[in-house]
mmCIF file with all atom_site columns, all heavy atoms in Angstrom:
data_model
loop_
_atom_site.group_PDB
_atom_site.id
_atom_site.type_symbol
_atom_site.label_atom_id
_atom_site.label_alt_id
_atom_site.label_comp_id
_atom_site.label_asym_id
_atom_site.label_entity_id
_atom_site.label_seq_id
_atom_site.pdbx_PDB_ins_code
_atom_site.Cartn_x
_atom_site.Cartn_y
_atom_site.Cartn_z
_atom_site.occupancy
_atom_site.B_iso_or_equiv
_atom_site.pdbx_formal_charge
_atom_site.auth_seq_id
_atom_site.auth_comp_id
_atom_site.auth_asym_id
_atom_site.auth_atom_id
_atom_site.pdbx_PDB_model_num
ATOM 1   N N   . GLY A 1 312 ? 30.313 -12.919 38.186 1.00 97.00 ? 312 GLY A N   1
ATOM 2   C CA  . GLY A 1 312 ? 31.473 -12.444 38.948 1.00 97.00 ? 312 GLY A CA  1
ATOM 3   C C   . GLY A 1 312 ? 32.500 -13.533 39.190 1.00 97.00 ? 312 GLY A C   1
ATOM 4   O O   . GLY A 1 312 ? 33.333 -13.417 40.098 1.00 97.00 ? 312 GLY A O   1
ATOM 5   N N   . LYS A 1 313 ? 32.422 -14.597 38.418 1.00 98.00 ? 313 LYS A N   1
ATOM 6   C CA  . LYS A 1 313 ? 33.369 -15.707 38.571 1.00 98.00 ? 313 LYS A CA  1
ATOM 7   C C   . LYS A 1 313 ? 34.123 -15.891 37.257 1.00 98.00 ? 313 LYS A C   1
ATOM 8   O O   . LYS A 1 313 ? 34.166 -14.986 36.427 1.00 98.00 ? 313 LYS A O   1
ATOM 9   C CB  . LYS A 1 313 ? 32.611 -17.001 38.922 1.00 98.00 ? 313 LYS A CB  1
ATOM 10  C CG  . LYS A 1 313 ? 31.696 -16.870 40.131 1.00 98.00 ? 313 LYS A CG  1
ATOM 11  C CD  . LYS A 1 313 ? 32.487 -16.610 41.394 1.00 98.00 ? 313 LYS A CD  1
ATOM 12  C CE  . LYS A 1 313 ? 31.546 -16.489 42.604 1.00 98.00 ? 313 LYS A CE  1
ATOM 13  N NZ  . LYS A 1 313 ? 32.279 -16.090 43.822 1.00 98.00 ? 313 LYS A NZ  1
ATOM 14  N N   . ARG A 1 314 ? 34.693 -17.048 37.076 1.00 98.00 ? 314 ARG A N   1
ATOM 15  C CA  . ARG A 1 314 ? 35.373 -17.371 35.828 1.00 98.00 ? 314 ARG A CA  1
ATOM 16  C C   . ARG A 1 314 ? 35.243 -18.863 35.565 1.00 98.00 ? 314 ARG A C   1
ATOM 17  O O   . ARG A 1 314 ? 34.761 -19.616 36.412 1.00 98.00 ? 314 ARG A O   1
ATOM 18  C CB  . ARG A 1 314 ? 36.845 -16.971 35.898 1.00 98.00 ? 314 ARG A CB  1
ATOM 19  C CG  . ARG A 1 314 ? 37.620 -17.695 36.979 1.00 98.00 ? 314 ARG A CG  1
ATOM 20  C CD  . ARG A 1 314 ? 39.112 -17.380 36.905 1.00 98.00 ? 314 ARG A CD  1
ATOM 21  N NE  . ARG A 1 314 ? 39.844 -17.999 37.988 1.00 98.00 ? 314 ARG A NE  1
ATOM 22  C CZ  . ARG A 1 314 ? 40.267 -19.259 38.016 1.00 98.00 ? 314 ARG A CZ  1
ATOM 23  N NH1 . ARG A 1 314 ? 39.984 -20.079 37.021 1.00 98.00 ? 314 ARG A NH1 1
ATOM 24  N NH2 . ARG A 1 314 ? 40.944 -19.727 39.042 1.00 98.00 ? 314 ARG A NH2 1
ATOM 25  N N   . LEU A 1 315 ? 35.669 -19.285 34.368 1.00 98.00 ? 315 LEU A N   1
ATOM 26  C CA  . LEU A 1 315 ? 35.727 -20.711 34.074 1.00 98.00 ? 315 LEU A CA  1
ATOM 27  C C   . LEU A 1 315 ? 37.050 -21.267 34.599 1.00 98.00 ? 315 LEU A C   1
ATOM 28  O O   . LEU A 1 315 ? 38.032 -20.533 34.718 1.00 98.00 ? 315 LEU A O   1
ATOM 29  C CB  . LEU A 1 315 ? 35.628 -20.941 32.560 1.00 98.00 ? 315 LEU A CB  1
ATOM 30  C CG  . LEU A 1 315 ? 34.345 -20.430 31.909 1.00 98.00 ? 315 LEU A CG  1
ATOM 31  C CD1 . LEU A 1 315 ? 34.394 -20.621 30.393 1.00 98.00 ? 315 LEU A CD1 1
ATOM 32  C CD2 . LEU A 1 315 ? 33.111 -21.104 32.480 1.00 98.00 ? 315 LEU A CD2 1
ATOM 33  N N   . PRO A 1 316 ? 37.083 -22.555 34.927 1.00 98.00 ? 316 PRO A N   1
ATOM 34  C CA  . PRO A 1 316 ? 38.359 -23.137 35.378 1.00 98.00 ? 316 PRO A CA  1
ATOM 35  C C   . PRO A 1 316 ? 39.328 -23.312 34.210 1.00 98.00 ? 316 PRO A C   1
ATOM 36  O O   . PRO A 1 316 ? 38.917 -23.482 33.065 1.00 98.00 ? 316 PRO A O   1
ATOM 37  C CB  . PRO A 1 316 ? 37.941 -24.512 35.911 1.00 98.00 ? 316 PRO A CB  1
ATOM 38  C CG  . PRO A 1 316 ? 36.678 -24.847 35.188 1.00 98.00 ? 316 PRO A CG  1
ATOM 39  C CD  . PRO A 1 316 ? 35.988 -23.537 34.920 1.00 98.00 ? 316 PRO A CD  1
ATOM 40  N N   . SER A 1 317 ? 40.616 -23.290 34.523 1.00 98.00 ? 317 SER A N   1
ATOM 41  C CA  . SER A 1 317 ? 41.597 -23.725 33.527 1.00 98.00 ? 317 SER A CA  1
ATOM 42  C C   . SER A 1 317 ? 41.530 -25.243 33.448 1.00 98.00 ? 317 SER A C   1
ATOM 43  O O   . SER A 1 317 ? 41.019 -25.904 34.357 1.00 98.00 ? 317 SER A O   1
ATOM 44  C CB  . SER A 1 317 ? 43.002 -23.283 33.929 1.00 98.00 ? 317 SER A CB  1
ATOM 45  O OG  . SER A 1 317 ? 43.429 -24.030 35.047 1.00 98.00 ? 317 SER A OG  1
ATOM 46  N N   . GLU A 1 318 ? 42.066 -25.799 32.368 1.00 98.00 ? 318 GLU A N   1
ATOM 47  C CA  . GLU A 1 318 ? 41.984 -27.268 32.289 1.00 98.00 ? 318 GLU A CA  1
ATOM 48  C C   . GLU A 1 318 ? 42.845 -27.940 33.355 1.00 98.00 ? 318 GLU A C   1
ATOM 49  O O   . GLU A 1 318 ? 42.519 -29.024 33.827 1.00 98.00 ? 318 GLU A O   1
ATOM 50  C CB  . GLU A 1 318 ? 42.280 -27.799 30.886 1.00 98.00 ? 318 GLU A CB  1
ATOM 51  C CG  . GLU A 1 318 ? 43.671 -27.564 30.366 1.00 98.00 ? 318 GLU A CG  1
ATOM 52  C CD  . GLU A 1 318 ? 43.924 -28.364 29.067 1.00 98.00 ? 318 GLU A CD  1
ATOM 53  O OE1 . GLU A 1 318 ? 43.404 -29.479 28.903 1.00 98.00 ? 318 GLU A OE1 1
ATOM 54  O OE2 . GLU A 1 318 ? 44.653 -27.844 28.209 1.00 98.00 ? 318 GLU A OE2 1
ATOM 55  N N   . ALA A 1 319 ? 43.905 -27.254 33.757 1.00 98.00 ? 319 ALA A N   1
ATOM 56  C CA  . ALA A 1 319 ? 44.746 -27.830 34.822 1.00 98.00 ? 319 ALA A CA  1
ATOM 57  C C   . ALA A 1 319 ? 43.960 -27.853 36.135 1.00 98.00 ? 319 ALA A C   1
ATOM 58  O O   . ALA A 1 319 ? 44.004 -28.837 36.896 1.00 98.00 ? 319 ALA A O   1
ATOM 59  C CB  . ALA A 1 319 ? 46.034 -27.028 34.965 1.00 98.00 ? 319 ALA A CB  1
ATOM 60  N N   . GLU A 1 320 ? 43.257 -26.766 36.434 1.00 98.00 ? 320 GLU A N   1
ATOM 61  C CA  . GLU A 1 320 ? 42.447 -26.741 37.657 1.00 98.00 ? 320 GLU A CA  1
ATOM 62  C C   . GLU A 1 320 ? 41.392 -27.851 37.621 1.00 98.00 ? 320 GLU A C   1
ATOM 63  O O   . GLU A 1 320 ? 41.159 -28.552 38.602 1.00 98.00 ? 320 GLU A O   1
ATOM 64  C CB  . GLU A 1 320 ? 41.785 -25.373 37.810 1.00 98.00 ? 320 GLU A CB  1
ATOM 65  C CG  . GLU A 1 320 ? 42.773 -24.266 38.146 1.00 98.00 ? 320 GLU A CG  1
ATOM 66  C CD  . GLU A 1 320 ? 42.185 -22.862 38.016 1.00 98.00 ? 320 GLU A CD  1
ATOM 67  O OE1 . GLU A 1 320 ? 41.122 -22.719 37.367 1.00 98.00 ? 320 GLU A OE1 1
ATOM 68  O OE2 . GLU A 1 320 ? 42.792 -21.915 38.556 1.00 98.00 ? 320 GLU A OE2 1
ATOM 69  N N   . TRP A 1 321 ? 40.729 -27.948 36.466 1.00 98.00 ? 321 TRP A N   1
ATOM 70  C CA  . TRP A 1 321 ? 39.686 -28.978 36.367 1.00 98.00 ? 321 TRP A CA  1
ATOM 71  C C   . TRP A 1 321 ? 40.286 -30.362 36.623 1.00 98.00 ? 321 TRP A C   1
ATOM 72  O O   . TRP A 1 321 ? 39.716 -31.167 37.362 1.00 98.00 ? 321 TRP A O   1
ATOM 73  C CB  . TRP A 1 321 ? 39.041 -28.926 34.967 1.00 98.00 ? 321 TRP A CB  1
ATOM 74  C CG  . TRP A 1 321 ? 37.790 -29.737 34.911 1.00 98.00 ? 321 TRP A CG  1
ATOM 75  C CD1 . TRP A 1 321 ? 36.513 -29.313 35.062 1.00 98.00 ? 321 TRP A CD1 1
ATOM 76  C CD2 . TRP A 1 321 ? 37.713 -31.168 34.729 1.00 98.00 ? 321 TRP A CD2 1
ATOM 77  N NE1 . TRP A 1 321 ? 35.634 -30.360 34.978 1.00 98.00 ? 321 TRP A NE1 1
ATOM 78  C CE2 . TRP A 1 321 ? 36.335 -31.509 34.781 1.00 98.00 ? 321 TRP A CE2 1
ATOM 79  C CE3 . TRP A 1 321 ? 38.655 -32.176 34.531 1.00 98.00 ? 321 TRP A CE3 1
ATOM 80  C CZ2 . TRP A 1 321 ? 35.895 -32.829 34.636 1.00 98.00 ? 321 TRP A CZ2 1
ATOM 81  C CZ3 . TRP A 1 321 ? 38.220 -33.501 34.407 1.00 98.00 ? 321 TRP A CZ3 1
ATOM 82  C CH2 . TRP A 1 321 ? 36.847 -33.810 34.453 1.00 98.00 ? 321 TRP A CH2 1
ATOM 83  N N   . GLU A 1 322 ? 41.449 -30.594 36.034 1.00 98.00 ? 322 GLU A N   1
ATOM 84  C CA  . GLU A 1 322 ? 42.061 -31.923 36.179 1.00 98.00 ? 322 GLU A CA  1
ATOM 85  C C   . GLU A 1 322 ? 42.485 -32.179 37.621 1.00 98.00 ? 322 GLU A C   1
ATOM 86  O O   . GLU A 1 322 ? 42.362 -33.310 38.110 1.00 98.00 ? 322 GLU A O   1
ATOM 87  C CB  . GLU A 1 322 ? 43.243 -32.056 35.210 1.00 98.00 ? 322 GLU A CB  1
ATOM 88  C CG  . GLU A 1 322 ? 43.749 -33.484 35.107 1.00 98.00 ? 322 GLU A CG  1
ATOM 89  C CD  . GLU A 1 322 ? 44.677 -33.691 33.904 1.00 98.00 ? 322 GLU A CD  1
ATOM 90  O OE1 . GLU A 1 322 ? 44.479 -33.020 32.864 1.00 98.00 ? 322 GLU A OE1 1
ATOM 91  O OE2 . GLU A 1 322 ? 45.585 -34.526 34.013 1.00 98.00 ? 322 GLU A OE2 1
ATOM 92  N N   . MET A 1 323 ? 42.949 -31.110 38.310 1.00 97.00 ? 323 MET A N   1
ATOM 93  C CA  . MET A 1 323 ? 43.260 -31.283 39.730 1.00 97.00 ? 323 MET A CA  1
ATOM 94  C C   . MET A 1 323 ? 42.013 -31.694 40.492 1.00 97.00 ? 323 MET A C   1
ATOM 95  O O   . MET A 1 323 ? 42.050 -32.560 41.369 1.00 97.00 ? 323 MET A O   1
ATOM 96  C CB  . MET A 1 323 ? 43.794 -29.970 40.335 1.00 97.00 ? 323 MET A CB  1
ATOM 97  C CG  . MET A 1 323 ? 45.128 -29.499 39.795 1.00 97.00 ? 323 MET A CG  1
ATOM 98  S SD  . MET A 1 323 ? 46.348 -30.824 39.785 1.00 97.00 ? 323 MET A SD  1
ATOM 99  C CE  . MET A 1 323 ? 46.317 -31.282 41.523 1.00 97.00 ? 323 MET A CE  1
ATOM 100 N N   . GLY A 1 324 ? 40.906 -31.048 40.146 1.00 97.00 ? 324 GLY A N   1
ATOM 101 C CA  . GLY A 1 324 ? 39.657 -31.344 40.847 1.00 97.00 ? 324 GLY A CA  1
ATOM 102 C C   . GLY A 1 324 ? 39.163 -32.748 40.565 1.00 97.00 ? 324 GLY A C   1
ATOM 103 O O   . GLY A 1 324 ? 38.465 -33.352 41.393 1.00 97.00 ? 324 GLY A O   1
ATOM 104 N N   . ALA A 1 325 ? 39.496 -33.296 39.418 1.00 97.00 ? 325 ALA A N   1
ATOM 105 C CA  . ALA A 1 325 ? 38.910 -34.571 38.998 1.00 97.00 ? 325 ALA A CA  1
ATOM 106 C C   . ALA A 1 325 ? 39.827 -35.763 39.203 1.00 97.00 ? 325 ALA A C   1
ATOM 107 O O   . ALA A 1 325 ? 39.368 -36.903 39.160 1.00 97.00 ? 325 ALA A O   1
ATOM 108 C CB  . ALA A 1 325 ? 38.526 -34.485 37.507 1.00 97.00 ? 325 ALA A CB  1
ATOM 109 N N   . GLN A 1 326 ? 41.109 -35.514 39.454 1.00 93.00 ? 326 GLN A N   1
ATOM 110 C CA  . GLN A 1 326 ? 42.013 -36.650 39.305 1.00 93.00 ? 326 GLN A CA  1
ATOM 111 C C   . GLN A 1 326 ? 41.841 -37.727 40.371 1.00 93.00 ? 326 GLN A C   1
ATOM 112 O O   . GLN A 1 326 ? 42.242 -38.864 40.146 1.00 93.00 ? 326 GLN A O   1
ATOM 113 C CB  . GLN A 1 326 ? 43.465 -36.197 39.170 1.00 93.00 ? 326 GLN A CB  1
ATOM 114 C CG  . GLN A 1 326 ? 44.024 -35.498 40.362 1.00 93.00 ? 326 GLN A CG  1
ATOM 115 C CD  . GLN A 1 326 ? 45.419 -34.940 40.023 1.00 93.00 ? 326 GLN A CD  1
ATOM 116 O OE1 . GLN A 1 326 ? 45.895 -35.036 38.903 1.00 93.00 ? 326 GLN A OE1 1
ATOM 117 N NE2 . GLN A 1 326 ? 46.074 -34.372 41.006 1.00 93.00 ? 326 GLN A NE2 1
ATOM 118 N N   . ASP A 1 327 ? 41.231 -37.354 41.472 1.00 94.00 ? 327 ASP A N   1
ATOM 119 C CA  . ASP A 1 327 ? 41.006 -38.396 42.483 1.00 94.00 ? 327 ASP A CA  1
ATOM 120 C C   . ASP A 1 327 ? 39.557 -38.829 42.545 1.00 94.00 ? 327 ASP A C   1
ATOM 121 O O   . ASP A 1 327 ? 39.143 -39.510 43.490 1.00 94.00 ? 327 ASP A O   1
ATOM 122 C CB  . ASP A 1 327 ? 41.456 -37.879 43.861 1.00 94.00 ? 327 ASP A CB  1
ATOM 123 C CG  . ASP A 1 327 ? 42.955 -37.604 43.874 1.00 94.00 ? 327 ASP A CG  1
ATOM 124 O OD1 . ASP A 1 327 ? 43.689 -38.340 43.164 1.00 94.00 ? 327 ASP A OD1 1
ATOM 125 O OD2 . ASP A 1 327 ? 43.371 -36.651 44.549 1.00 94.00 ? 327 ASP A OD2 1
ATOM 126 N N   . VAL A 1 328 ? 38.785 -38.431 41.563 1.00 97.00 ? 328 VAL A N   1
ATOM 127 C CA  . VAL A 1 328 ? 37.372 -38.777 41.541 1.00 97.00 ? 328 VAL A CA  1
ATOM 128 C C   . VAL A 1 328 ? 37.174 -39.944 40.581 1.00 97.00 ? 328 VAL A C   1
ATOM 129 O O   . VAL A 1 328 ? 37.681 -39.914 39.460 1.00 97.00 ? 328 VAL A O   1
ATOM 130 C CB  . VAL A 1 328 ? 36.526 -37.556 41.081 1.00 97.00 ? 328 VAL A CB  1
ATOM 131 C CG1 . VAL A 1 328 ? 35.048 -37.925 41.022 1.00 97.00 ? 328 VAL A CG1 1
ATOM 132 C CG2 . VAL A 1 328 ? 36.781 -36.362 41.990 1.00 97.00 ? 328 VAL A CG2 1
ATOM 133 N N   . ALA A 1 329 ? 36.450 -40.955 41.050 1.00 96.00 ? 329 ALA A N   1
ATOM 134 C CA  . ALA A 1 329 ? 36.208 -42.124 40.184 1.00 96.00 ? 329 ALA A CA  1
ATOM 135 C C   . ALA A 1 329 ? 35.213 -41.743 39.095 1.00 96.00 ? 329 ALA A C   1
ATOM 136 O O   . ALA A 1 329 ? 34.263 -40.995 39.325 1.00 96.00 ? 329 ALA A O   1
ATOM 137 C CB  . ALA A 1 329 ? 35.653 -43.279 41.011 1.00 96.00 ? 329 ALA A CB  1
ATOM 138 N N   . VAL A 1 330 ? 35.461 -42.273 37.887 1.00 97.00 ? 330 VAL A N   1
ATOM 139 C CA  . VAL A 1 330 ? 34.543 -42.012 36.779 1.00 97.00 ? 330 VAL A CA  1
ATOM 140 C C   . VAL A 1 330 ? 33.179 -42.635 37.090 1.00 97.00 ? 330 VAL A C   1
ATOM 141 O O   . VAL A 1 330 ? 33.105 -43.775 37.539 1.00 97.00 ? 330 VAL A O   1
ATOM 142 C CB  . VAL A 1 330 ? 35.104 -42.600 35.469 1.00 97.00 ? 330 VAL A CB  1
ATOM 143 C CG1 . VAL A 1 330 ? 34.057 -42.567 34.367 1.00 97.00 ? 330 VAL A CG1 1
ATOM 144 C CG2 . VAL A 1 330 ? 36.357 -41.834 35.041 1.00 97.00 ? 330 VAL A CG2 1
ATOM 145 N N   . GLY A 1 331 ? 32.141 -41.900 36.884 1.00 96.00 ? 331 GLY A N   1
ATOM 146 C CA  . GLY A 1 331 ? 30.787 -42.405 37.122 1.00 96.00 ? 331 GLY A CA  1
ATOM 147 C C   . GLY A 1 331 ? 29.785 -41.307 36.910 1.00 96.00 ? 331 GLY A C   1
ATOM 148 O O   . GLY A 1 331 ? 30.150 -40.152 36.697 1.00 96.00 ? 331 GLY A O   1
ATOM 149 N N   . GLY A 1 332 ? 28.521 -41.660 36.928 1.00 96.00 ? 332 GLY A N   1
ATOM 150 C CA  . GLY A 1 332 ? 27.470 -40.655 36.800 1.00 96.00 ? 332 GLY A CA  1
ATOM 151 C C   . GLY A 1 332 ? 26.596 -40.906 35.593 1.00 96.00 ? 332 GLY A C   1
ATOM 152 O O   . GLY A 1 332 ? 26.503 -42.036 35.091 1.00 96.00 ? 332 GLY A O   1
ATOM 153 N N   . ASN A 1 333 ? 25.993 -39.830 35.133 1.00 97.00 ? 333 ASN A N   1
ATOM 154 C CA  . ASN A 1 333 ? 25.032 -39.915 34.028 1.00 97.00 ? 333 ASN A CA  1
ATOM 155 C C   . ASN A 1 333 ? 25.777 -39.927 32.703 1.00 97.00 ? 333 ASN A C   1
ATOM 156 O O   . ASN A 1 333 ? 25.918 -38.899 32.052 1.00 97.00 ? 333 ASN A O   1
ATOM 157 C CB  . ASN A 1 333 ? 24.056 -38.735 34.136 1.00 97.00 ? 333 ASN A CB  1
ATOM 158 C CG  . ASN A 1 333 ? 23.022 -38.736 33.026 1.00 97.00 ? 333 ASN A CG  1
ATOM 159 O OD1 . ASN A 1 333 ? 22.806 -39.755 32.367 1.00 97.00 ? 333 ASN A OD1 1
ATOM 160 N ND2 . ASN A 1 333 ? 22.396 -37.591 32.821 1.00 97.00 ? 333 ASN A ND2 1
ATOM 161 N N   . LEU A 1 334 ? 26.257 -41.110 32.326 1.00 98.00 ? 334 LEU A N   1
ATOM 162 C CA  . LEU A 1 334 ? 27.026 -41.266 31.102 1.00 98.00 ? 334 LEU A CA  1
ATOM 163 C C   . LEU A 1 334 ? 26.187 -42.003 30.059 1.00 98.00 ? 334 LEU A C   1
ATOM 164 O O   . LEU A 1 334 ? 24.998 -42.235 30.266 1.00 98.00 ? 334 LEU A O   1
ATOM 165 C CB  . LEU A 1 334 ? 28.325 -42.008 31.420 1.00 98.00 ? 334 LEU A CB  1
ATOM 166 C CG  . LEU A 1 334 ? 29.300 -41.129 32.238 1.00 98.00 ? 334 LEU A CG  1
ATOM 167 C CD1 . LEU A 1 334 ? 30.109 -41.956 33.218 1.00 98.00 ? 334 LEU A CD1 1
ATOM 168 C CD2 . LEU A 1 334 ? 30.234 -40.367 31.289 1.00 98.00 ? 334 LEU A CD2 1
ATOM 169 N N   . GLN A 1 335 ? 26.806 -42.335 28.940 1.00 97.00 ? 335 GLN A N   1
ATOM 170 C CA  . GLN A 1 335 ? 26.031 -42.938 27.841 1.00 97.00 ? 335 GLN A CA  1
ATOM 171 C C   . GLN A 1 335 ? 25.233 -44.156 28.306 1.00 97.00 ? 335 GLN A C   1
ATOM 172 O O   . GLN A 1 335 ? 24.113 -44.382 27.853 1.00 97.00 ? 335 GLN A O   1
ATOM 173 C CB  . GLN A 1 335 ? 26.988 -43.338 26.703 1.00 97.00 ? 335 GLN A CB  1
ATOM 174 C CG  . GLN A 1 335 ? 26.269 -43.672 25.404 1.00 97.00 ? 335 GLN A CG  1
ATOM 175 C CD  . GLN A 1 335 ? 27.178 -44.415 24.428 1.00 97.00 ? 335 GLN A CD  1
ATOM 176 O OE1 . GLN A 1 335 ? 27.202 -45.646 24.361 1.00 97.00 ? 335 GLN A OE1 1
ATOM 177 N NE2 . GLN A 1 335 ? 27.941 -43.649 23.691 1.00 97.00 ? 335 GLN A NE2 1
#
Side-chain angles (χ1 to χ4, degrees):
Chain A
K313 306 295 180 186
R314 62 174 176 82
L315 300 176
S317 70
E318 64 170 326
E320 290 168 343
W321 192 96
E322 191 166 328
M323 294 311 303
Q326 64 187 3
D327 296 327
V328 179
V330 170
N333 180 18
L334 290 146
Q335 193 195 94

